[in-house]
């Protein structure tokens, strides 16, 4: 049971890890994907805006708000590709849900782990509609923090069980092999992107670099492939050669944001793309034939975070895996905020 109104449930990193492990990573991803799909089906009921980004030489800090009219959510997230060289994460995040009726926050939570889970769940949802039927083999280019989450989501939702890994830093691939040991994958660590692409029916690109990189060139992409492009998610930060985009059917989250941040920033502003939510809602077709190249140009959108926050709130109500945070000043007489401060002086001895 969630306590008094002035107390906000807070999910620390420790509690998030306990929650994910108590539910099980695969089940968490499957249930979260159901929340994402159900929110994408009611896409039109959300307030939507491209995220508010503050760019600097080294990275970006972003705020990602949305509301369905009853609940409001936002995420604070950064992207700093150089961070791992200093022992920090490239991406960290936290988020808030609030009651629209009172404006009071009803959840504050870590979202670094939750972002990796929601990104992976969204990718797997997209692939359910776009990847070749019965695809089993996925190349994963970039084996950093997001990589295992992507792999496990594709296994849990699609049955992908063969991975072909490549990273410029081999120790990242070795880390993935170690972490995925208990998940029943057949894993091959490859010496080049070309080698990783051999036999792949799906490729996930999830590299971090603050530039227009060319992780995939046109000649690496054969007919029928599904491309799950995760790493290009900022202006001036892409992973695919533009020629690939012109041969693909492109699916995006929220076009006004993806046209600024996604792979399609390389194309004309009116280049035709399809919205993933329309495919999920049955208004638009996903994959239509075996030879089609499908591209999910993922940048991450606020509604996915909203779904994740909603799911976590439900789970902590059932498990009690949260702390009570004294976050909101809430005097008994609402207008006596100053009086509340003075009464605290009586209880708090002043420093000598
Ligand atoms: N689309 C989304 O919703 C979403 C969500 C989270 C993260 N991201 C993006 O995904 C990317 C990866 O995030 P992360 O947290 O895993 O970062 P990370 O820094 O932990 O891992 C990135 C990996 O990419 C490797 N790499 C860099 N250049 C490469 C290249 N040319 N070829 C092969 N490997 C290369 C690095 O060695 C590293 O292991 C970031 O760019 C991040 O912004 C996107």
């Amino acid at each position: 049971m969630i306590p008094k109104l002035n107390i906000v449930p807070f999910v620390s990193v420790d509690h998030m890890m306990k929650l994910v492990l108590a539910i099980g990573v695969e089940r968490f991803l499957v249930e979260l994907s159901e929340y994402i799909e159900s929110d994408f089906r009611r896409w039109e009921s959300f307030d939507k805006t491209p995220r508010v980004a503050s760019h600097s030489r080294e990275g970006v800090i972003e705020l990602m708000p949305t509301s369905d009219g009853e609940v409001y959510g936002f995420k604070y997230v950064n992207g700093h590709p150089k961070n791992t060289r200093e022992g920090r994460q490239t991406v960290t995040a936290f988020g808030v849900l609030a009651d629209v009726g009172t404006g009071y926050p009803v959840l504050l939570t870590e979202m670094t782990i939750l972002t990796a889970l929601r990104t992976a769940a969204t990718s797997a949802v997209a692939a359910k509609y776009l990847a070749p039927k019965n695809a089993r083999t996925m190349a994963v280019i970039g084996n950093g923090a997001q990589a295992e989450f992507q792999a496990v989501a594709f296994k849990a939702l699609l049955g992908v069980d063969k991975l072909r890994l490549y990273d410029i830093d081999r120790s990242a691939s070795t880390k993935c092999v170690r972490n995925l040991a208990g998940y029943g994958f057949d894993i091959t660590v490859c010496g080049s992107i070309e080698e990783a692409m051999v036999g792949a029916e799906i490729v996930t690109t999830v590299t971090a670099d603050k530039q227009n990189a060319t992780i995939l060139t046109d000649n690496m992409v054969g007919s029928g492939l599904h491309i799950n492009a995760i790493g290009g998610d900022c202006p001036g930060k892409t992973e695919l050669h533009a020629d690939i985009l012109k041969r693909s059917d492109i699916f995006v989250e929220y076009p006004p944001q993806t046209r600024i941040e996604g792979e399609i920033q390389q194309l004309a502003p009116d280049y035709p793309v399809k919205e993933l939510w329309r495919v999920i809602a049955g208004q638009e077709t996903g994959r239509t034939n075996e030879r089609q190249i499908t591209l999910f140009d993922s940048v991450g959108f606020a509604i996915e975070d909203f779904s994740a926050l909603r799911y976590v709130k439900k789970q902590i109500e059932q498990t009690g895996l949260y702390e009570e945070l004294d976050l909101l000043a809430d005097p008994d007489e609402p207008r006596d905020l100053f009086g509340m401060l003075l009464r605290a002086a009586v209880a708090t001895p002043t420093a000598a």
Side-chain angles (χ1 to χ4, degrees), residues 51 75 78-81 84 89-91 115-116 118-119 141-147 166-169 172-173 175 193 205-209 213-215 229-233 237 239 253 298-301 304:
R51 59 185 155 200
K75 179 169 85 173
N78 78 298
H80 286 68
T84 51
Q89 293 282 299
T90 297
V91 176
T115 292
R118 78 80 155 115
T119 304
I141 315 300
N143 302 154
Q146 311 298 319
Y166 174 74
D167 195 294
I168 41 170
D169 178 354
S173 308
K175 175 250 347 172
I193 297 175
T205 56
V206 63
T207 64
D209 203 347
T214 309
I215 303 300
I230 300 297
D233 60 355
K237 179 168 173 259
E239 294 180 306
E253 291 141 317
S298 161
V299 293
F301 188 59
E304 295 146 32

Side-chain angles (χ1 to χ4, degrees), residues 4 16 43 68 148 151 160 178-179 182 216 225 229 251 276:
K4 292 185 300 220
M16 182 61 77
W43 188 262
D68 66 358
E148 296 94 327
V160 166
R178 191 172 58 243
N179 288 338
L216 295 186
L225 189 72
F251 298 82
L276 180 61

Side-chain angles (χ1 to χ4, degrees), residues 60-132:
V60 63
I61 293 176
E62 297 163 327
L63 292 178
M64 302 174 68
T66 191
S67 169
D68 66 358
E70 287 181 15
V71 182
Y72 172 92
F74 79 85
K75 179 169 85 173
Y76 166 104
V77 61
N78 78 298
H80 286 68
K82 59 120 187 119
N83 269 5
T84 51
R85 292 198 294 276
E86 300 156 4
R88 295 188 170 93
Q89 293 282 299
T90 297
V91 176
T92 66
F94 67 89
V96 169
L97 266 190
D99 173 43
V100 168
T102 61
Y104 274 30
V106 293
L107 175 69
L108 171 64
T109 176
E110 92 78 42
M111 286 192 81
T112 304
I113 296 167
L114 194 56
T115 292
L117 289 159
R118 78 80 155 115
T119 304
T122 306
S123 285
V125 166
K128 242 174 54 173
Y129 294 90
L130 304 179

